[in-house]
Amino acid sequence: DLNCVPYYKNSEVSVWGYMLTAGVPLGWIDWKRASMIYGPTRFRAAAEHVAAALQEGERKRVEVRASLVPFQGGQCLMLTLVYGLSDEVQCMDFQMVDNRNADICDRPPNGHASPKALEHAPIRIGVFIEELADYGLAAVAVMCGQGLTEHVALVERQLKQGCPQGMHPPFEGLVVYAAASTAASEDSGVAPPLLSSPAAMAATMARLGLGP
C-alpha cells in the first residue's frame, strides 16, 4: 500500500509525506536526505506501481494534482497522481518552492501562492510530468489546488510553452483546471460543491480515454 492514514491537515499524505512532515521536523532525517533519497525512491516505486496497474497496450493516462502547503516556514508543492477511475498516489512528490510565506499558504479563500512559489511551481510540475513519461505514464490533466486555483492560466501557459531553461519540453493538449474545493476553503466553512465542474469532468474523461 503506497499510502498511509491521514496525517497532514491539508491532505491524506503518503509515507513519503509522513517522512517529511514528521521525520524532518523531529530530526529523524534531514531535508537533503529526504529530497535526495526518500523522494526519488518513492517516486520510482509509485510510478512502477501505477504503470503496472494500468492496462497494457493502451496509453497510460494519468492526472496530476498540485497544491501548495505550508511546511517548515515555507511553501511546498505537493503533487498527487490520479489514475484509473479514482485511484491515487498521494503526495508522490513534495518540493520546497519558497522557504518563506507559510502563513499565507492556506489562508482563505483557497490559499495564496507567493511570487517565488509561482515562479518555481509550474516548472516543477512540468519536470514531474516529464519524469512520469519515463515510466510510460502520460499526464493528460493538471488540477491546480490550494494556492494555485487563481493561477490556472499561468500554469497552463508555462506548461504548454515549455521551460526556457530546458528543464521540460512543451506539453500540448493538457486539461488544466482549478480545484472546486481546497483545504483552505473547507477549513473556513465552505462545503465542497456537490457536482463536478465541466473542467473537472473533462479531466476525468481525458484520464479515462473518453475525450475527443
Side-chain angles (χ1 to χ4, degrees):
D1 186 359
L2 292 169
N3 298 305
C4 67
V5 296
Y7 175 80
Y8 190 68
K9 77 169 188 174
N10 284 303
S11 68
E12 293 180 342
V13 297
S14 62
V15 174
W16 161 228
Y18 179 82
M19 290 302 295
L20 283 166
T21 56
V24 173
L26 290 174
W28 296 343
I29 58 173
D30 57 25
W31 177 261
K32 183 177 181 180
R33 177 171 293 185
S35 59
M36 295 185 68
I37 299 176
Y38 288 98
T41 299
R42 171 170 168 72
F43 178 92
R44 181 173 63 253
E48 290 173 350
H49 170 83
V50 174
L54 294 174
Q55 187 171 345
E56 290 293 337
E58 294 185 3
R59 188 179 181 211
K60 298 184 177 184
R61 300 173 177 86
V62 295
E63 177 180 337
V64 177
R65 294 184 176 174
S67 297
L68 295 175
V69 297
F71 181 71
Q72 293 285 280
Q75 297 193 357
C76 274
L77 177 68
M78 183 172 68
L79 296 171
T80 288
L81 194 70
V82 182
Y83 62 101
L85 188 60
S86 59
D87 292 315
E88 293 185 357
V89 179
Q90 299 155 353
C91 195
M92 187 168 170
D93 193 63
F94 195 79
Q95 299 287 335
M96 185 76 75
V97 288
D98 184 3
N99 58 4
R100 300 178 183 272
N101 298 301
D103 58 317
I104 66 171
C105 199
D106 55 359
R107 184 179 296 172
N110 286 303
H112 299 272
S114 68
K116 187 174 182 181
L118 281 180
E119 177 185 352
H120 295 290
I123 296 174
R124 183 57 210 167
I125 295 170
V127 171
F128 182 76
I129 292 173
E130 180 70 358
E131 290 173 344
L132 291 173
D134 292 338
Y135 295 85
L137 302 174
V140 294
V142 175
M143 187 194 80
C144 295
Q146 181 169 278
L148 299 172
T149 58
E150 296 183 2
H151 305 287
V152 171
L154 170 68
V155 173
E156 181 174 21
R157 182 173 66 251
Q158 293 199 17
L159 289 176
K160 292 184 176 180
Q161 287 178 347
C163 178
Q165 291 80 26
M167 296 180 69
H168 68 78
F171 300 108
E172 297 294 335
L174 286 173
V175 177
V176 184
Y177 69 104
S181 181
T182 64
S185 65
E186 292 178 24
D187 286 349
S188 65
V190 179
L194 296 176
L195 299 176
S196 298
S197 69
M201 289 297 296
T204 300
M205 296 288 281
R207 190 176 72 241
L208 297 177
L210 302 175

